[in-house]
Amino acid sequence: MLFKTLSAAVFGIDAYLVEVEVDITAGKPNFMTVGLPDAAVRESSERIRAAINNCGLQFPWQNITVNLAPADVKKEGSGFDLPIALGILGTTGALTKSELRDIVFLGELSLDGSLRPIKGALSIATMARQKGIRKLVLPRENAAEAAVVQDVQVFGLRSLPEALDLINETREFKLTHVNTGQMLAQAGQYSVDFRDVKGQLHAKRAIEVATAGGHNILMIGPPGAGKTMLAKRIPTILPSLTFDEAIQTTKIHSVAGVLESGAGLLGVRPFRSPHHTISDAGLIGGGVMPRPGEVSLAHNGVLFLDELPEFQRNVLEVLRQPLEDGMVTIARAAMTLTFPARFMLAAAMNPCPCGFFNDPSRECACTPPMIQRYVSKISGPLLDRIDIHIDMPAVRFQELRQDAGGESSDAIRARVIAARDRQLERYQGEKIYCNSQMSSRQIRKYCNISPDCERMLESAMNRLGLSARAHDRILKVARTIADLNGSENVNNEQLSEAIQYRSLDRSYWT
């Protein structure tokens, strides 16, 4: 007897429909799964057999063949347990329907028949709506995430017997409903604030400029200067996630399996801080079935690389494509996947191996060649993609003991949002949304400077030894500073502030 159910699988961050066909024939007891299943899918036979028996249901001791179509795409994960189990029970007459073609089923089965959460629920719900399938049955922990998609009836269940009751209509089950606006408002709360940071006014200003224009930033200072503390507070002054951004970000985290159980939408911008021992596949993504890496998990948020020169050089070099294109393309023999990776890079490093170069209170034990080798671990092409470099001295005792804190994140964010709004209005029709994305042509169009500013920029390039790559970066940053000040054109003061933010060109990178 043949019975068909529907399920789904994730490819990249998008989902595709999988038809589960279960056929039972007389003969020697056997359980075979075909359709390019991976190890987790093949092992489902033992989980399904135990779950059906432990729920007091009858498992047929016959020849069972399960086909997962389309058969030419590799299937992975444990989310097919529930649809396969229902297909087996359908062949035994335990279900009142002859086939289930209007509902998508997902869920991993425990040995006692309870359902465990799966990955990619939001992507699957989106696919179901596009295919015109209006019902989705999955574990309760994934229900809020899937219910974000409108026009899809989401049922969050706890066990296999509940799925039988739902199909046979022996019990009534409530649909899962969520208020996306309320969900974003509740989730969009940060536990840290810029008010907590004492001193470092210059660094705070540089971070405000960086967030206003979407610029990448590198902080250079001794241990304990507050580099990590400031970096963790960058998301608090970025504009709030839009609904579309929240959907896309949640998809990535769901597919990667890092979304919290029971969570719906991500309401805060991601902040990812991988350890410097990370591999290039961990940073950029990869695997036999490629998964998103840290750069994709930081999409629409911040990627923070602490102790930047300690990362492997080949790991840092793979950052070039996502920094330039806002996406990552991973090619394998059988497939090519593209993951979004539009993030703001924040990096931190010591000025030398010991960390105390130019520190007035501590003596540096490093020789100039040691310092040069240390700084040179960051390649020129990567440095070329970092617009702002700032020196952060150690915080003085008097600043640490101040009772009054600085500006709050809310106050800084208001200025950042106002500057971003000016950029959105300026770049209508340009396919960019912030100053850091300007091309050379757009720089010439939108960063016109006066003759006085021309002379100042030429003097800075010559006297301070700034590299040629710093030219466009300075103009982009100056444009952002002008937007923060509400200026239509870039003036001398704004240009001089932008020139300050090239410390590696001036002090170290020579």
Side-chain angles (χ1 to χ4, degrees):
M1 181 178 178
L2 178 65
F3 196 94
K4 297 181 180 181
T5 60
L6 290 181
S7 188
V10 175
F11 186 78
I13 63 169
D14 297 317
Y16 62 94
L17 199 64
V18 175
E19 186 175 48
V20 180
E21 300 175 318
V22 179
D23 183 61
I24 294 184
T25 57
K28 183 179 178 180
N30 186 37
F31 197 123
M32 177 180 290
T33 303
V34 296
L36 289 182
D38 71 348
V41 179
R42 288 194 299 269
E43 291 173 354
S44 65
S45 60
E46 302 304 319
R47 292 192 299 272
I48 292 169
R49 181 182 289 113
I52 290 176
N53 288 331
N54 290 328
C55 289
L57 301 167
Q58 183 180 2
F59 185 86
W61 292 95
Q62 295 174 289
N63 183 31
I64 302 174
T65 302
V66 177
N67 179 43
L68 304 176
D72 59 343
V73 181
K74 189 174 181 62
K75 318 299 187 307
E76 66 169 359
S78 54
F80 298 108
D81 289 6
L82 179 60
I84 293 175
L86 292 174
I88 292 173
L89 292 172
T91 62
T92 65
L95 304 181
T96 58
K97 297 184 179 180
S98 58
E99 62 178 24
L100 301 170
R101 303 301 299 273
D102 59 343
I103 309 176
V104 173
F105 294 93
L106 294 155
E108 176 187 337
L109 284 173
S110 298
L111 298 185
D112 62 355
S114 59
L115 293 177
R116 295 180 181 275
I118 49 95
K119 299 177 182 178
L122 180 56
S123 299
I124 292 168
T126 304
M127 179 276 301
R129 181 179 63 181
Q130 293 171 348
K131 295 288 186 180
I133 302 172
R134 299 307 181 193
K135 291 184 180 180
L136 179 61
V137 175
L138 72 177
R140 176 160 294 189
E141 290 84 353
N142 300 116
E145 175 189 346
V148 169
V149 179
Q150 297 180 352
D151 301 326
V152 176
Q153 299 177 3
V154 177
F155 296 91
L157 305 183
R158 291 193 179 97
S159 64
L160 176 60
E162 287 191 357
L164 292 179
D165 291 338
L166 175 67
I167 296 168
N168 295 334
E169 299 179 352
T170 55
R171 287 174 54 189
E172 288 189 4
F173 292 87
K174 292 183 178 179
L175 294 174
T176 302
H177 296 284
V178 295
N179 186 326
T180 54
Q182 184 180 4
M183 187 181 292
L184 282 173
Q186 290 176 346
Q189 303 295 325
Y190 295 92
S191 59
V192 295
D193 195 283
F194 261 87
R195 187 184 284 113
D196 306 329
V197 182
K198 303 292 182 66
Q200 300 295 10
L201 297 180
H202 177 61
K204 291 179 183 177
R205 170 64 178 177
I207 289 175
E208 180 181 340
V209 173
T211 54
H215 304 286
N216 301 317
I217 186 170
L218 173 61
M219 296 173 281
I220 311 159
K227 303 185 293 293
T228 303
M229 187 177 187
L230 282 168
K232 288 181 177 179
R233 285 155 176 76
I234 291 176
T236 68
I237 61 174
L238 286 168
S240 299
L241 282 172
T242 64
F243 181 72
D244 289 340
E245 288 176 333
I247 287 285
Q248 193 174 37
T249 307
T250 306
K251 273 187 180 182
I252 299 170
H253 284 242
S254 177
V255 168
V258 298
L259 192 65
E260 293 183 7
S261 178
L265 279 179
L266 282 177
V268 297
R269 293 190 178 272
F271 179 85
R272 305 295 299 183
S273 180
H275 193 261
H276 60 77
T277 57
I278 191 172
S279 66
D280 51 356
L283 186 66
I284 214 75
V288 178
M289 288 290 288
R291 292 294 190 190
E294 290 293 329
V295 296
S296 295
L297 292 172
H299 181 61
N300 291 323
V302 178
L303 177 67
F304 177 53
L305 302 182
D306 201 4
E307 304 296 344
L308 187 65
E310 301 300 332
F311 284 79
Q312 295 286 339
R313 189 180 181 93
N314 66 301
V315 173
L316 292 179
E317 292 308 303
V318 298
L319 283 172
R320 293 191 196 179
Q321 184 199 3
L323 286 175
E324 194 73 25
D325 302 332
M327 64 182 66
V328 172
T329 301
I330 302 173
R332 294 291 182 267
M335 69 189 74
T336 299
L337 289 177
T338 299
F339 296 110
R342 180 75 66 186
F343 58 88
M344 174 183 168
L345 175 65
M349 61 179 284
N350 295 328
C352 66
C354 76
F356 299 106
F357 178 66
N358 278 343
D359 192 319
S361 61
R362 300 286 295 273
E363 184 177 355
C364 175
C366 305
T367 63
M370 290 172 60
I371 297 174
Q372 183 62 30
R373 283 195 300 271
Y374 178 75
V375 177
S376 297
K377 292 181 180 179
I378 309 170
S379 70
L382 177 60
L383 192 70
D384 187 33
R385 290 164 172 81
I386 302 177
D387 297 347
I388 296 177
H389 320 143
I390 53 169
D391 288 308
M392 293 179 56
V395 182
R396 295 176 298 176
F397 176 79
Q398 292 82 356
E399 293 174 327
L400 286 174
R401 299 303 299 169
Q402 286 178 353
D403 292 333
E407 275 190 304
S408 67
S409 293
D410 290 340
I412 301 174
R413 185 197 291 139
R415 295 195 294 269
V416 169
I417 292 175
R420 287 284 185 108
D421 289 342
R422 294 187 185 96
Q423 293 166 53
L424 287 173
E425 183 178 354
R426 179 188 306 127
Y427 300 132
Q428 285 182 355
E430 292 278 7
K431 296 183 179 180
I432 63 174
Y433 60 86
C434 60
N435 292 329
S436 65
Q437 299 171 353
M438 281 192 292
S439 63
S440 298
R441 177 188 62 81
Q442 291 162 336
I443 290 174
R444 292 192 298 270
K445 180 177 180 180
Y446 297 112
C447 298
N448 293 323
I449 54 177
S450 66
D452 286 345
C453 290
E454 288 274 6
R455 287 190 290 271
M456 175 186 291
L457 183 57
E458 181 182 6
S459 175
M461 298 286 292
N462 294 330
R463 286 193 304 107
L464 300 179
L466 296 177
S467 64
R469 70 172 65 93
H471 176 268
D472 286 358
R473 308 296 171 189
I474 289 172
L475 290 177
K476 288 181 181 181
V477 173
R479 178 67 266 173
T480 299
I481 297 170
D483 289 335
L484 281 169
N485 296 340
S487 303
E488 188 65 29
N489 298 311
V490 177
N491 59 34
N492 287 10
E493 182 181 350
Q494 293 152 0
L495 184 63
S496 63
E497 182 180 351
I499 292 171
Q500 292 183 69
Y501 299 139
R502 299 298 301 181
S503 63
L504 277 187
D505 291 295
R506 185 174 63 251
S507 304
Y508 304 94
W509 197 261
T510 56

